[in-house]
Amino acid sequence: MKAVTDWNSIESVSRLATQQEATLGSMNPQLAETLAQLADLYFLAEDYINAESIYWRVLTIRQKALGECHPDTAAALQSLAELYEIQDRYAEAQRFYKWATSVKKSAMLKMHSDRLDATVVKEVEPKLPQISDLQDASCRKCGRKLLDSTVCMYCTQGSFNAAALLKKAQEMLTPNENGGPVNKLSSEDGTEQYKLDEHNIVIGRHPSNQIVFADDKHVSRHHAKLQFIGGDFVLVDNGSANGTYVNGQRIQVPTKLKSGDVILMGSKKLIAGFGK
């Protein structure tokens, strides 16, 4: 009796993909469809590392098997854009959204090319990037694929280190009587210290976060985030189930932190501070 694939199970879809790769080959469009389903399941499970890896496989297969200007290739690019957006990797998301749009436009032109003058098609059709443009180098700091040979759009600007720039910006500011710029979070007893040395810091139970509270069931997977804006960290609640509180008040809008602020997430109480 032939096994039935449970399309809601990562294990079941992964098994089917392995079987298809063995029988159909590694560049088959049907395999790409199965892998796209598998990547979507990882995405829903918030396993973004596996989702990204598999979405890239889908893109590679579709580009080679179906071509640069195929609607399914555009769909693969769209999936990567959405994955980057949910991780706050906005520069990469914007690049992939634009790329997906270019592919969709090009696919539409090809579909209707019999009704258009060939010269018009050639002039309007966008020049598409190649997958090799995005995979020829990796960032020395975070290891992610570079969008070009010099700039990591996630953590660096050229040869500049984002964490170093952040530290320098904070050092130029000094605490005042109303509190000062925040560059760390501490537990009430001071035994736990969290340095704020990235521009975007996500806090929650999931291990992919920069600050992880894995044992607190009252903290959401991606509970809140800190963003460095205009020389200060701004705290944003990510629609968490139990809310984020600053000085006893549940925050509804992005809230700028100052030294001495008390932050409550689940059972975790953190003190915002400034210092080395």
XYZ file of all heavy atoms in Angstrom, residues 35 38-40 42-43 46-60 76 79-81 83-84 87 89 92 96 134-135 143-147 154:
337
model
N 9.547 20.808 -2.058
C 10.466 21.552 -1.190
C 9.865 22.886 -0.755
O 10.076 23.329 0.380
C 11.795 21.784 -1.915
C 12.677 20.553 -2.116
C 13.868 20.897 -3.004
C 13.161 20.007 -0.769
N 7.678 22.160 2.066
C 8.486 21.876 3.255
C 9.017 23.172 3.870
O 8.982 23.361 5.096
C 9.646 20.958 2.874
C 10.605 20.541 3.989
C 9.869 19.786 5.087
C 11.737 19.684 3.425
N 9.502 24.081 3.021
C 9.997 25.372 3.514
C 8.892 26.168 4.194
O 9.112 26.806 5.226
C 10.605 26.171 2.362
N 7.680 26.117 3.622
C 6.542 26.816 4.227
C 6.246 26.273 5.625
O 5.916 27.030 6.548
C 5.298 26.661 3.356
C 5.359 27.487 2.079
O 6.201 28.400 2.007
O 4.575 27.198 1.155
N 8.430 24.862 7.700
C 9.482 25.369 8.592
C 9.221 26.843 8.930
O 9.438 27.274 10.069
C 10.856 25.225 7.943
C 11.474 23.850 8.102
C 11.780 23.063 7.009
C 11.762 23.347 9.373
C 12.345 21.808 7.158
C 12.329 22.094 9.538
C 12.622 21.331 8.426
O 13.180 20.095 8.592
N 8.766 27.600 7.939
C 8.443 29.012 8.155
C 7.368 29.142 9.232
O 7.491 29.947 10.166
C 7.966 29.620 6.834
C 7.701 31.095 6.877
C 8.606 31.998 6.359
C 6.524 31.598 7.432
C 8.363 33.362 6.385
C 6.273 32.957 7.469
C 7.190 33.838 6.946
N 8.495 28.676 12.611
C 9.469 29.703 13.004
C 10.893 29.166 13.034
O 11.757 29.677 13.756
C 9.096 30.334 14.355
C 7.739 31.023 14.323
C 7.381 31.714 15.629
O 8.193 31.668 16.570
O 6.295 32.302 15.707
N 11.149 28.125 12.239
C 12.511 27.625 12.043
C 13.034 28.300 10.777
O 13.046 27.724 9.692
C 12.498 26.102 11.898
C 13.908 25.517 11.815
O 14.861 26.294 11.596
O 14.050 24.290 11.965
N 13.458 29.547 10.925
C 13.784 30.360 9.769
C 15.090 29.943 9.088
O 15.274 30.181 7.888
C 13.855 31.829 10.179
C 12.560 32.358 10.750
C 12.536 33.138 11.904
C 11.344 32.057 10.139
C 11.336 33.613 12.428
C 10.144 32.527 10.650
C 10.152 33.308 11.792
O 8.973 33.769 12.305
N 15.985 29.316 9.822
C 17.256 28.874 9.228
C 16.999 27.785 8.192
O 17.472 27.850 7.053
C 18.220 28.381 10.321
C 18.631 29.546 11.225
C 19.462 27.747 9.688
C 19.484 29.143 12.412
N 16.242 26.745 8.576
C 15.917 25.672 7.629
C 15.044 26.191 6.497
O 15.215 25.801 5.338
C 15.214 24.521 8.345
C 16.196 23.548 8.968
O 17.216 23.214 8.381
N 15.907 23.105 10.175
N 14.093 27.076 6.818
C 13.218 27.628 5.781
C 14.032 28.367 4.722
O 13.817 28.174 3.511
C 12.190 28.564 6.409
N 14.990 29.190 5.152
C 15.805 29.959 4.199
C 16.613 29.033 3.298
O 16.672 29.213 2.081
C 16.739 30.910 4.945
C 17.599 31.750 4.019
C 18.467 32.746 4.773
O 18.484 32.717 6.019
O 19.135 33.550 4.101
N 17.236 28.017 3.897
C 18.052 27.088 3.122
C 17.232 26.391 2.042
O 17.671 26.258 0.892
C 18.673 26.051 4.069
O 19.364 25.061 3.347
N 16.022 25.956 2.393
C 15.195 25.218 1.439
C 14.591 26.151 0.396
O 14.501 25.795 -0.784
C 14.102 24.428 2.179
C 14.757 23.388 3.097
C 13.183 23.719 1.189
C 13.792 22.703 4.039
N 14.208 27.361 0.792
C 13.708 28.327 -0.201
C 14.776 28.615 -1.259
O 14.463 28.798 -2.438
C 13.292 29.633 0.477
C 11.918 29.613 1.104
C 11.685 30.187 2.359
C 10.824 29.048 0.444
C 10.419 30.185 2.929
C 9.559 29.044 1.017
C 9.362 29.613 2.268
O 8.108 29.614 2.832
N 16.037 28.667 -0.833
C 17.121 28.889 -1.796
C 17.233 27.714 -2.768
O 17.494 27.904 -3.958
C 18.452 29.106 -1.071
C 18.694 30.548 -0.754
C 18.464 31.184 0.418
C 19.198 31.541 -1.640
N 18.790 32.520 0.317
C 19.247 32.761 -0.922
C 19.616 31.528 -2.961
C 19.686 33.940 -1.501
C 20.063 32.711 -3.532
C 20.094 33.903 -2.796
N 17.042 26.485 -2.275
C 17.048 25.317 -3.164
C 15.920 25.415 -4.183
O 16.108 25.125 -5.367
C 16.891 24.022 -2.359
C 18.151 23.531 -1.666
C 17.997 22.083 -1.207
N 17.840 21.187 -2.348
C 17.473 19.912 -2.243
N 17.207 19.390 -1.048
N 17.358 19.143 -3.312
N 14.743 25.815 -3.722
C 13.594 25.972 -4.613
C 13.904 26.995 -5.697
O 13.632 26.778 -6.885
C 12.341 26.389 -3.815
C 11.191 26.712 -4.759
C 11.935 25.294 -2.837
N 14.485 28.123 -5.302
C 14.825 29.171 -6.265
C 15.822 28.656 -7.301
O 15.657 28.886 -8.505
C 15.394 30.387 -5.532
C 15.871 31.552 -6.416
C 14.728 32.088 -7.277
C 16.463 32.662 -5.549
N 16.845 27.935 -6.843
C 17.864 27.412 -7.751
C 17.254 26.451 -8.770
O 17.536 26.538 -9.973
C 18.959 26.686 -6.952
O 19.536 27.589 -6.000
C 20.061 26.177 -7.871
N 9.132 31.910 -5.741
C 10.247 31.549 -4.856
C 10.926 32.791 -4.295
O 11.284 32.853 -3.118
C 11.258 30.687 -5.621
N 8.723 34.312 -1.602
C 8.822 33.577 -0.337
C 10.050 34.014 0.452
O 9.981 34.204 1.677
C 8.881 32.070 -0.604
O 7.678 31.605 -1.170
N 11.177 34.185 -0.225
C 12.386 34.649 0.458
C 12.200 36.065 0.989
O 12.641 36.374 2.105
C 13.581 34.585 -0.497
C 14.230 33.209 -0.648
C 15.115 33.152 -1.884
C 15.040 32.853 0.598
N 11.553 36.913 0.211
C 11.304 38.286 0.661
C 10.471 38.297 1.940
O 10.764 39.031 2.897
C 10.594 39.079 -0.441
N 10.187 35.889 4.114
C 11.002 35.316 5.195
C 11.931 36.369 5.783
O 12.066 36.493 7.005
C 11.818 34.141 4.655
C 12.796 33.483 5.634
C 12.036 32.729 6.728
C 13.728 32.539 4.907
N 12.580 37.161 4.926
C 13.488 38.196 5.404
C 12.727 39.303 6.142
O 13.205 39.841 7.140
C 14.289 38.783 4.240
C 15.266 37.808 3.633
C 15.483 37.757 2.264
C 15.981 36.912 4.433
C 16.375 36.856 1.703
C 16.868 36.016 3.882
C 17.065 35.991 2.526
O 17.947 35.103 1.979
N 11.884 38.541 9.738
C 13.063 38.563 10.602
C 13.639 39.974 10.754
O 14.722 40.145 11.303
C 14.147 37.636 10.026
C 13.747 36.182 9.971
C 14.828 35.341 9.350
O 15.801 34.934 10.003
N 14.699 35.060 8.059
N 14.834 41.759 8.456
C 15.967 41.953 7.546
C 15.437 42.740 6.342
O 15.288 42.235 5.238
C 16.546 40.591 7.150
C 17.153 39.857 8.322
C 17.345 38.374 8.068
N 18.274 38.100 6.994
C 18.629 36.863 6.637
N 18.147 35.812 7.301
N 19.463 36.668 5.638
N 17.243 43.246 2.802
C 17.184 42.046 1.971
C 15.766 41.807 1.465
O 15.558 41.434 0.307
C 17.667 40.838 2.776
C 19.167 40.851 3.018
C 19.568 39.922 4.149
O 19.133 40.159 5.292
O 20.305 38.959 3.883
N 14.520 41.512 -2.515
C 13.857 40.346 -3.085
C 12.440 40.664 -3.556
O 11.970 40.082 -4.537
C 13.867 39.191 -2.087
C 15.161 38.413 -2.110
C 16.291 38.888 -1.476
C 15.241 37.212 -2.802
C 17.483 38.188 -1.512
C 16.431 36.504 -2.848
C 17.557 36.987 -2.207
N 24.231 36.682 -5.848
C 23.942 36.716 -4.426
C 24.650 35.629 -3.635
O 24.532 35.554 -2.435
C 22.430 36.606 -4.191
C 21.620 37.809 -4.645
C 21.084 37.572 -6.048
C 20.481 38.087 -3.702
N 25.403 34.751 -4.303
C 25.988 33.620 -3.602
C 27.508 33.539 -3.721
O 28.098 32.560 -3.317
C 25.375 32.312 -4.125
C 23.911 32.160 -3.763
C 23.378 30.805 -4.184
O 23.444 30.446 -5.339
N 22.885 30.042 -3.238
N 28.109 35.583 8.392
C 28.104 34.418 7.522
C 26.981 34.372 6.511
O 26.870 33.417 5.745
N 26.121 35.403 6.454
C 25.010 35.395 5.509
C 25.502 35.684 4.090
O 26.544 36.286 3.893
C 23.963 36.439 5.909
C 23.355 36.195 7.273
C 22.349 37.294 7.591
N 21.960 37.264 8.991
C 21.022 36.484 9.497
N 20.375 35.667 8.706
N 20.723 36.516 10.775
N 24.709 35.242 3.095
C 25.045 35.537 1.705
C 25.030 37.048 1.495
O 24.124 37.735 1.950
C 24.026 34.888 0.762
C 23.928 33.383 0.867
C 22.884 32.879 -0.112
C 22.635 31.396 0.073
N 21.905 31.111 1.338
N 26.031 37.552 0.790
C 26.063 38.977 0.490
C 25.201 39.263 -0.732
O 25.156 38.470 -1.674
C 27.492 39.434 0.223
C 28.462 39.377 1.402
C 29.813 39.915 0.982
C 27.942 40.168 2.581
N 24.541 40.398 -0.718
C 23.747 40.800 -1.862
C 24.621 41.387 -2.960
O 24.210 41.525 -4.090
C 22.672 41.803 -1.441
C 21.650 41.245 -0.445
C 20.567 42.272 -0.174
C 21.023 39.975 -0.975
N 22.533 43.078 6.255
C 21.930 42.707 7.534
C 22.692 43.286 8.717
O 22.118 43.887 9.602
C 21.865 41.194 7.665
C 21.223 40.735 8.952
C 19.890 41.007 9.210
C 21.949 40.044 9.900
C 19.292 40.602 10.392
C 21.355 39.628 11.081
C 20.029 39.908 11.323
O 19.451 39.508 12.496
